[in-house]
Amino acid sequence: MDTHNPPRKILMVVTVGGFTHAAPVLEVGKVLARRGHTVDFATLEGQETWTTGYEYVNRLHLLGRGPSHEMLEAHYLRMRQWDASKGFSSVMDSKYLFDSFWTQTYERLKRIIDDPATRPDLLLVDFFVDAAKDMLYQYNLPIAIMYPQMPALICPCPYIPGQPGFQIDGTLTSENASIWSRIRNEMVMVHALPAALRWIKWTKKMRQAAGVHYKLPTPIKPNHLVLINSFFGLEVPKDLPPLVSAVGPILADEYPPLTEPYASFLAQRPKTLYLALGTHIILTHTDAAKLLRGLLTAIDRGFIDGVIWSVSQNGRRDIDPSETFTRASGKTLTFASLFNGEHPEFLFTTFAPQRAILDHPHTRIYLTHGGGSSANEGLYHGKAMLVMGFFFDQLSNVPRLVASGTAESLDKFRFTPDEVCHKVGLLAEDPTGGYRRNCTRMQRIAHVASRRKELAADLIEELIYDTEARFDGDAELRPMHLQTADMRMSAFKAKNWDLWLFGLVTFGLLPIASIVAGRWAWSERRALAQLVGALAPHRR
């Protein structure tokens, strides 16, 4: 490494949320390791295998027990039933579940930082790791937080109603939204206020039990580095401060190749639909049956000629394998016969080499839940998508993908088999060529944007070198080089309200003074005339 950019130690931390939360952090860590930095990884017990394939990781730290299978299953079942338009009360148990790991994460991170042998120069963490903010507060240790999308409550934008990730009605901006839609989106957070207040009280009690009695600052612009694993084109464009950067899509440079039986299946079927709703979605039998009926009709009408359906064993648990479905030809089938591979137009699997399948030209449509990683991969590989979101970033990605011109949407509560078939037909037939054009457009943008994990590493290095030179012990000698000046000023001054006040006072008093002076001059006009006459030069 260049002596001007000396190597440092970086600790990556990912706790809850699954491997999709770890993957972008590990990919940025790989870039930093290539540059000569020492990169460690900390996670919860049971998640040690996440570092497989990332041999650059120098040391693994365990932060305590992870969530049990039962906890996670209850969480995902709650998410399956969540209707975002009805508020957050029904899913707050999941928020409490994930936040309950703060205590052990906080205590273990303090031990790591207090030990000179393990103390890092920067924390690179997933957004669920709130304890990282405490490390910044207590140790002045710089942190970079990875988000899957634009975070809520940070860098608000007046023409984006509501909060990113919590918008309803597919509203992305105020540009084409009705005033009623904008009001409804703004009211989402108001309706969530009672649940939020209970959560704040619970969080305060949890922190106090751990001996933490201060309140973390919550500025509208962050006092740390925010990295967003997304890109404009998917995200709604808006102005961002220097400490916030869209660095996605962060994808692995290599991925597992296409193997059998997928290679043969795709070779024989040039109009394949790939269906994958993620590792954790557990479809009800009713929903699985509706999807199957819609896909069977789409096959019978010639829109597609094959389906690769990836669903885990746990994801199949609510599916009734015995229900009979009848094709247009009169042939019948069941989920059991599909699982057993008895129908050549279907390939059911518990795991598929997703990126290799998406990269194949015969994969025409991607039916996805629209999670951050899935959306990024679908766009990167240029696929038209049929998107059915279930929770959080999935729900917010659905209207974004539709707005990009690459996708059609399904509502998880209201979709029908006929709608599935109709929208598969729209994407497959593409009568105007609009889907193909936009898929190519977004694919090219995504390929360019995918280089920005190097930018993420650049920003992390900048933050490290800036922080270590601007502190003398605990004394801060100068502000962060990426922090805008308004973060260190009162709102009164930063927003120029003082100038407005001065202007209002000045221009408000001037007319009043003019009127008063005019009235006085009129009342004293004779005296003023005499004075003027006395001062005027005498004429000959």
Side-chain angles (χ1 to χ4, degrees):
M1 173 176 275
D2 191 324
T3 56
H4 295 295
N5 301 105
R8 294 293 183 257
K9 180 181 287 187
I10 294 150
L11 176 62
M12 306 178 295
V13 188
V14 183
T15 52
V16 294
F19 179 71
T20 54
H21 287 248
V25 173
L26 288 163
E27 285 297 320
V28 174
K30 183 188 292 185
V31 176
L32 292 163
R34 282 202 302 261
R35 297 183 182 186
H37 299 289
T38 299
V39 185
D40 296 341
F41 184 66
T43 190
L44 301 176
E45 294 170 5
Q47 299 171 169
E48 299 91 333
T49 57
W50 286 357
T51 59
T52 302
Y54 296 96
E55 282 70 24
Y56 70 84
V57 173
N58 175 68
R59 181 171 180 173
L60 177 65
H61 298 274
L62 294 179
L63 304 175
R65 62 176 179 80
S68 67
H69 173 75
E70 291 74 22
M71 290 176 179
L72 291 176
E73 187 165 281
H75 158 66
Y76 291 117
L77 289 174
R78 276 193 298 271
M79 294 296 101
R80 184 173 73 180
Q81 298 301 322
W82 179 44
D83 186 345
S85 66
K86 296 181 179 178
F88 302 97
S89 296
S90 62
V91 293
M92 284 305 292
D93 283 346
S94 292
K95 176 65 174 169
Y96 291 125
L97 168 64
F98 287 165
D99 285 1
S100 68
F101 290 90
W102 173 87
T103 302
Q104 66 188 57
T105 303
Y106 168 79
E107 292 172 349
R108 302 295 174 90
L109 284 179
K110 282 183 66 68
R111 292 180 203 170
I112 292 171
I113 294 170
D114 285 335
D115 185 348
T118 56
R119 181 186 176 109
D121 297 294
L122 176 137
L123 296 178
L124 170 58
V125 307
D126 173 63
F127 74 98
F128 275 132
V129 187
D130 273 342
K133 297 175 184 176
D134 293 286
M135 303 304 108
L136 169 62
Y137 185 88
Q138 294 184 23
Y139 296 93
N140 291 321
L141 186 69
I143 64 173
I145 302 181
M146 182 74 71
Y147 287 84
Q149 62 178 4
M150 290 291 173
L153 305 176
I154 293 179
C155 307
C157 184
Y159 53 81
I160 297 179
Q163 292 293 331
F166 301 102
Q167 292 160 311
I168 56 177
D169 298 335
T171 302
L172 296 177
T173 72
S174 298
E175 184 176 8
N176 298 309
S178 67
I179 190 169
W180 174 239
S181 176
R182 291 158 62 194
I183 291 172
R184 287 191 67 202
N185 275 280
E186 295 296 346
M187 291 300 294
V188 167
M189 300 307 291
V190 176
H191 292 154
L193 194 57
L197 290 174
R198 288 191 294 270
W199 168 76
I200 290 171
K201 183 178 180 180
W202 176 87
T203 301
K204 182 179 180 180
K205 184 177 180 181
M206 176 182 66
R207 291 172 63 85
Q208 288 176 341
V212 177
H213 299 281
Y214 57 83
K215 183 180 179 182
L216 288 170
T218 55
I220 60 172
K221 290 183 182 179
N223 60 351
H224 54 271
L225 184 59
V226 171
L227 303 174
I228 300 160
N229 183 21
S230 189
F231 60 104
F232 293 126
L234 177 58
E235 291 287 340
V236 175
K238 69 176 184 178
D239 296 325
L240 296 175
L243 280 167
V244 180
S245 185
V247 295
I250 300 174
L251 300 171
D253 297 324
E254 299 177 351
Y255 48 85
L258 196 66
T259 55
E260 295 297 342
Y262 313 103
S264 296
F265 187 92
L266 285 166
Q268 297 168 15
R269 291 168 179 79
K271 296 190 293 184
T272 296
L273 179 144
Y274 173 57
L275 195 166
L277 298 176
T279 308
H280 306 296
I281 301 299
I282 303 173
L283 284 175
T284 65
H285 174 72
T286 299
D287 288 343
K290 288 194 292 184
L291 283 174
L292 180 57
R293 287 191 177 94
L295 295 175
L296 287 171
T297 306
I299 292 174
D300 290 338
R301 293 183 182 178
F303 296 146
I304 54 176
D305 57 12
V307 174
I308 299 175
W309 191 330
S310 179
V311 55
S312 67
Q313 290 293 349
N314 190 50
R316 304 180 185 194
R317 63 172 221 179
D318 289 348
I319 296 176
D320 179 2
S322 63
E323 183 175 351
T324 300
F325 301 86
T326 304
R327 301 281 300 272
S329 62
K331 293 182 179 180
T332 61
L333 53 81
T334 63
F335 269 112
S337 63
L338 288 169
F339 293 156
N340 292 332
E342 298 174 15
H343 303 276
E345 294 155 315
F346 283 85
L347 175 57
F348 270 78
T349 179
T350 56
F351 177 80
Q354 178 159 297
R355 291 193 60 190
I357 290 173
L358 290 175
D359 198 52
H360 198 284
H362 287 181
T363 303
R364 297 283 297 277
I365 299 170
Y366 179 23
L367 203 165
T368 173
H369 61 324
S373 297
S374 298
N376 284 339
E377 290 172 0
L379 293 171
Y380 184 88
H381 292 286
K383 298 306 174 188
M385 286 176 270
L386 184 55
V387 195
M388 181 165 63
F390 284 80
F391 49 83
F392 294 133
D393 62 330
Q394 302 167 16
L395 295 174
S396 53
N397 278 335
V398 171
R400 293 171 186 162
L401 288 166
V402 172
S404 75
T406 64
E408 290 289 335
S409 66
L410 297 173
D411 185 293
K412 68 176 180 178
F413 293 117
R414 301 170 185 85
F415 79 97
T416 64
D418 287 343
E419 182 186 12
V420 173
C421 177
H422 172 67
K423 291 187 172 178
V424 167
L426 286 177
L427 296 169
E429 299 293 298
D430 193 11
T432 67
Y435 296 114
R436 283 189 295 274
R437 185 183 308 111
N438 283 307
C439 285
T440 300
R441 176 180 65 87
M442 290 300 296
Q443 182 181 29
R444 291 171 179 170
I445 293 171
H447 274 251
V448 173
S450 68
R451 304 170 194 159
R452 293 190 184 128
K453 58 185 173 183
E454 298 285 343
L455 171 61
D458 291 342
L459 292 170
I460 287 170
E461 287 183 320
E462 282 191 36
L463 186 59
I464 291 173
Y465 301 138
D466 177 59
T467 301
E468 63 188 19
R470 67 187 182 85
F471 278 94
D472 183 6
D474 292 331
E476 187 175 11
L477 305 179
R478 58 181 301 112
M480 298 173 69
H481 79 300
L482 291 176
Q483 187 181 61
T484 53
D486 58 318
M487 294 301 294
R488 303 182 296 274
M489 301 158 59
S490 68
F492 195 73
K493 187 175 184 181
K495 297 180 182 295
N496 288 325
W497 290 342
D498 53 346
L499 295 183
W500 280 101
L501 180 61
F502 177 81
L504 288 172
V505 170
T506 301
F507 291 106
L509 290 177
L510 185 60
I512 296 173
S514 299
I515 293 171
V516 171
R519 293 184 64 180
W520 175 81
W522 178 255
S523 64
E524 301 294 334
R525 59 187 181 279
R526 290 189 178 87
L528 289 173
Q530 292 174 359
L531 177 62
V532 170
L535 295 176
H538 293 287
R539 296 181 181 177
R540 285 188 170 183

